[in-house]
Amino acid sequence: LSQAAKRGQLGKGLTDAAIYTQQTNKVFADGLAMSRNRLLQGLEALLTGVDPEKVLEDLEDILLTADIGTQTAEDIVREVKSLREGSTKLLSRDDLKSIMRGKLIEALDTGKTRALRFQEDDSLPTVLFILGANGMGKTTTIGKLAHRLRTEGNQTVLVAACDTFRAGAVEQLQLWADRAEVDMVGPDEKATTPAAVLYRALDRATTGYYDTVLVDTSGRLSNNNALTLELIKMKNVIQKRLSVARDDDNKALPNENVPHETLLVLDAAQGRMALDSAKAWDESVGLTGLILTKLDGSARGGSVVAVSRDLGLPVKLVGVGEGIEDLRDVRKRLDD
């Protein structure tokens, strides 16, 4: 819109923005179709029943099958029971949807913002520290996020290829960086470890005036002690390299305000199976949010609710397709 206004074409800019919003909302809805249809089909079958008591039993089963989690399922059933108290009538479809919408919004409300946090001081770049086990879609997510930051945020983006463990990881990330039209720093003969690559990337970001650095990390299981120590070391590198204060001996003091986000990428198809590893990483490096991927290929989108509620962390982004633009924000209103 700002670029259109500069060209004196604000009307065209507004039209283009409206078309873009409509198209991306459709992509988001289409991506969640499997999860939505799975739940709605179960509810439709439920509401055609004739035994009000059996309806409550079946309702909890349907909700659990949708992977929204035990606590949220019990909350919904409890609310339905309360509204039906003293009545033998079934709730209408709209009544049930209204109850579910309210309870799901409550469950997703962790009290923490879903918006990505960016650096307020222009003298330092924003650093997004991105973790995830192999196969979760981490590399793809970084490419999509880089594209969004460049095209929607008009930012200069630098990708730090710090996964020096998996064969082909750097080359795969380079392909996504090229697609997103952003720069990348990877390992070379002088920088072979994740911490060394990260330090070089931060150096380039600060001297080259990049807006945001996306840090890729090695994808291994959370019970891998070597990986955990590596992640802690990398976080220390970020805090020291972006230090804004020194002690009496003129040594850099760790900047506790960075990284600005520590995001864990989870595969939606794994659902609650990923909770244990997420909790372990949260304890070791301090997660600030979650990115849920592959929602378009899974009927288990309800896992967004369960994972977010159990961890007390907001789901900030969701992947709903294989295209470079198929990374969407999670909004507060479920009917948006």
Side-chain angles (χ1 to χ4, degrees), residues 12-29:
K12 184 178 183 300
L14 289 169
T15 300
D16 291 344
I19 293 172
Y20 175 79
T21 301
Q22 184 179 30
Q23 290 174 341
T24 52
N25 285 347
K26 183 179 185 302
V27 170
F28 187 89

Side-chain angles (χ1 to χ4, degrees), residues 4-252:
K6 289 178 182 178
R7 297 192 300 267
Q9 299 175 331
L10 182 57
K12 184 178 183 300
L14 289 169
T15 300
D16 291 344
I19 293 172
Y20 175 79
T21 301
Q22 184 179 30
Q23 290 174 341
T24 52
N25 285 347
K26 183 179 185 302
V27 170
F28 187 89
D30 290 347
L32 295 178
M34 290 178 67
S35 296
R36 182 173 60 251
N37 292 341
R38 178 184 186 182
L39 179 58
L40 291 179
Q41 285 170 5
L43 292 178
E44 289 295 346
L46 176 72
L47 292 172
T48 59
V50 294
D51 185 348
E53 295 307 318
K54 190 173 185 304
V55 164
L56 292 173
E57 296 175 13
D58 291 346
L59 174 59
E60 186 165 6
D61 289 342
I62 290 169
L63 296 172
L64 291 174
T65 302
D67 287 302
I68 68 170
T70 304
Q71 288 180 299
T72 305
E74 289 177 349
D75 285 350
I76 292 172
V77 171
R78 193 178 300 115
E79 183 76 7
V80 172
K81 282 183 178 179
S82 175
L83 290 177
R84 284 190 59 252
E85 199 167 313
S87 172
T88 58
K89 292 183 179 180
L90 291 171
L91 289 177
S92 70
R93 182 178 185 273
D94 289 340
D95 288 338
L96 186 54
K97 284 180 64 178
S98 178
I99 292 171
M100 290 178 57
R101 181 179 291 113
K103 290 299 179 182
L104 291 177
I105 290 174
E106 286 180 16
L108 285 169
D109 188 3
T110 62
K112 301 172 184 176
T113 179
R114 292 187 186 86
L116 292 178
R117 185 169 72 94
F118 291 92
Q119 174 64 34
E120 296 180 0
D121 181 359
D122 291 339
S123 64
L124 295 177
T126 294
V127 179
L128 306 182
F129 195 35
I130 302 176
L131 324 177
N134 286 330
M136 296 293 106
K138 177 167 53 67
T139 302
T140 302
T141 296
I142 290 173
K144 293 176 180 178
L145 182 53
H147 172 75
R148 282 196 64 181
L149 292 173
R150 183 184 66 80
T151 58
E152 296 180 23
N154 196 30
Q155 294 193 12
T156 52
V157 180
L158 181 66
V159 175
C162 299
D163 184 355
T164 59
F165 178 78
R166 181 171 63 87
V170 174
E171 292 77 9
Q172 183 185 7
L173 189 60
Q174 182 67 68
L175 289 173
W176 274 100
D178 292 342
R179 287 185 64 189
E181 299 181 33
V182 300
D183 297 330
M184 190 186 90
V185 170
D188 59 18
E189 63 279 359
K190 293 183 179 179
T192 58
T193 67
V197 174
L198 177 56
Y199 197 92
R200 285 185 60 231
L202 293 174
D203 261 354
R204 180 171 172 181
T206 52
T207 57
Y209 303 103
Y210 285 86
D211 295 311
T212 300
V213 181
L214 302 181
V215 183
D216 188 19
T217 58
S218 297
R220 281 170 274 174
L221 298 178
S222 60
N223 60 4
N224 186 310
N225 292 330
L227 172 62
T228 300
L229 293 175
E230 179 183 285
L231 293 174
I232 293 172
K233 183 177 181 180
M234 292 174 71
K235 185 172 181 178
N236 289 336
V237 167
I238 296 170
Q239 293 183 335
K240 288 184 178 180
R241 180 60 187 82
L242 300 184
S243 172
V244 293
R246 295 186 173 273
D247 62 15
D248 294 338
D249 296 324
N250 201 35
K251 292 182 179 179

